[in-house]
Amino acid sequence: MQTANKLPLSEDPGHLIPRLSPHRQEIIRQILKNPREFVLLSVRSAAQRLTTNPATLVRLIQKMGFESYRAFQNYLHDLSIANATSLDGMQASSSLGSKIPEHLQATLEQDFKNLNAIRNSLDVKKLAMLAKRIHSAKRILVVGGDLAESLVHYLEHHLTVIGLPVFIATTNGRSTHASRLFGKGDLVIGISFRRGLRLTVEALKRAHENGAYCIGITGTYISPVASFTDEYLVASVESESYLDSYVAPMALANLLLVACANYDREATLVRLREAAQEQREGFRWYELAK
C-alpha cells in the first residue's frame, strides 16, 4: 500500500507549473512531455539538454515541491510508466532481438519484480483495516473498465461468495449512475492503471464527494485514481512486451480477498459450507460418465 510518496492534489507538479515564469514553465514541460528521455539523466546532463544550468534546474524542481532531483527522477519514472503505450512496451524489449525464449525469460523476470514490489511494501495491518471497512460498509461498488474489468468480476465473485453486498460498474453509463447513488456508509473500490480510465476516476471522484469511503487499486502513486481515494494500493503492470501484466494486481486482489474472508472467519465458514454443496453436486458442473 502506498501513501508516503503521494503528493496532495493541490501540490501535484501539473498544478504547480503555473506558479513558474513562462520561460521556466516551458523548461519543465519539456521534461514532463518526454519523461522517458530524462528519467535516467543526471542533473547536469538534463540541464545541458534543456540549455539551462544545473542549479537553476534544481531550484525549479524544488519549487514544484520535490525535495531533491532524485525525488523528481522517481516521479518521472512513475510518470513514464503511467503514460506508457503498448508500442513503448514492445520497443523497450527490442534489445532482446527476435529470440522468443529470451523474451519469455524477460517477461517472467519483470513479473517477479512486480510481485516482489508488493511483497516489499505490503502493510498487512492496512489490509486488515481495509477488510474491516469492507465488512462494515452498507454496500460495496467495484468500478473498472477495459482490462481491469476482469479484476472487477473477480472481486465481485469472491466477495459475493462470502456474503458481502457487492455491485459492479464496468461501463460509462453504469459507473456514472451507480456512483451517484453511493455515499456515506458505502464503500467504492476503483481499479485502473496507466493514465487512469475516465469512467473509473470520475466515479471515484463522484462517490468520494458523496461521502463514500473510496479505495483505489492502481499502478503508480501518481495515478489520478490516488487523488480521489481514502486509501490506495499499488500493483505494477509493467511488462517486457506490448501488454500490461496483471500478475501483481491479481496477487493484490487475492490478498485483499483473504483479508476479507478472515476478518469474520466464522461467518465466512457458514457461507462456504452453503457453497460447498453446490460445488460438489451443482448442475453447472460437468460429470464424467459413470
Side-chain angles (χ1 to χ4, degrees), residues 41-280:
L41 296 182
S42 67
V43 63
R44 185 178 297 277
S45 297
Q48 184 177 19
R49 182 164 180 173
L50 295 166
T51 63
T52 187
N53 63 74
T56 298
L57 182 57
V58 170
R59 283 196 298 271
L60 289 178
I61 289 168
Q62 290 175 338
K63 193 168 185 180
M64 292 174 66
F66 295 97
E67 294 181 357
S68 64
Y69 182 71
R70 176 57 63 88
F72 183 60
Q73 283 182 304
N74 290 337
Y75 171 78
L76 292 181
H77 172 72
D78 282 271
L79 187 62
S80 64
I81 293 172
N83 291 336
T85 66
S86 299
L87 177 61
D88 291 328
M90 199 70 178
Q91 288 178 332
S93 63
S94 61
S95 61
L96 299 176
S98 60
K99 295 181 179 179
I100 291 178
E102 293 182 6
H103 286 279
L104 297 180
Q105 186 62 39
T107 296
L108 279 174
E109 290 176 0
Q110 183 61 57
D111 284 344
F112 281 125
K113 287 180 182 178
N114 294 347
L115 285 171
N116 280 331
I118 289 180
R119 183 174 64 177
N120 294 335
S121 64
L122 182 65
D123 187 335
V124 292
K125 292 182 179 179
K126 288 283 188 177
L127 279 178
M129 181 274 290
L130 292 181
K132 180 179 179 180
R133 285 276 188 179
I134 291 171
H135 270 269
S136 62
K138 291 188 300 184
R139 299 175 300 171
I140 302 160
L141 175 66
V142 187
V143 183
D146 287 8
L147 292 178
E149 187 175 339
S150 60
L151 288 174
V152 171
H153 286 291
Y154 187 77
L155 285 173
E156 177 205 24
H157 175 85
H158 290 288
L159 291 174
T160 300
V161 167
I162 61 175
L164 296 180
V166 58
F167 303 83
I168 65 171
T170 59
T171 64
N172 284 301
R174 174 71 172 171
S175 66
T176 297
H177 297 301
S179 60
R180 282 193 304 107
L181 303 176
F182 277 68
K184 190 173 182 180
D186 297 321
L187 183 141
V188 176
I189 301 173
I191 309 172
S192 192
F193 303 92
R194 301 299 185 187
R195 294 173 58 194
L197 281 183
R198 185 184 299 275
L199 76 88
T200 306
V201 176
E202 291 187 349
L204 283 170
K205 183 176 184 293
R206 195 175 296 110
H208 195 260
E209 290 172 348
N210 290 343
Y213 191 87
C214 294
I215 301 170
I217 297 178
T218 190
T220 72
Y221 78 93
I222 67 168
S223 167
V225 167
S227 297
F228 303 106
T229 54
D230 296 282
E231 294 284 352
Y232 66 99
L233 307 169
V234 171
S236 176
V237 294
E238 281 192 82
S239 172
E240 289 293 321
S241 188
Y242 72 96
L243 47 79
D244 287 345
S245 171
Y246 271 45
V247 172
M250 181 61 76
L252 184 57
N254 284 342
L255 290 170
L256 187 59
L257 289 167
V258 169
C260 289
N262 286 280
Y263 174 74
D264 188 346
R265 188 175 176 84
E266 290 305 314
T268 295
L269 288 172
V270 169
R271 296 298 186 187
L272 293 182
R273 289 188 187 101
E274 296 171 353
Q277 183 175 357
E278 190 281 330
Q279 291 172 346
R280 293 192 189 102

Side-chain angles (χ1 to χ4, degrees), residues 12-24:
D12 181 83
H15 293 265
L16 289 176
I17 286 180
R19 298 183 185 180
L20 306 176
S21 68
H23 173 67
R24 291 181 174 181

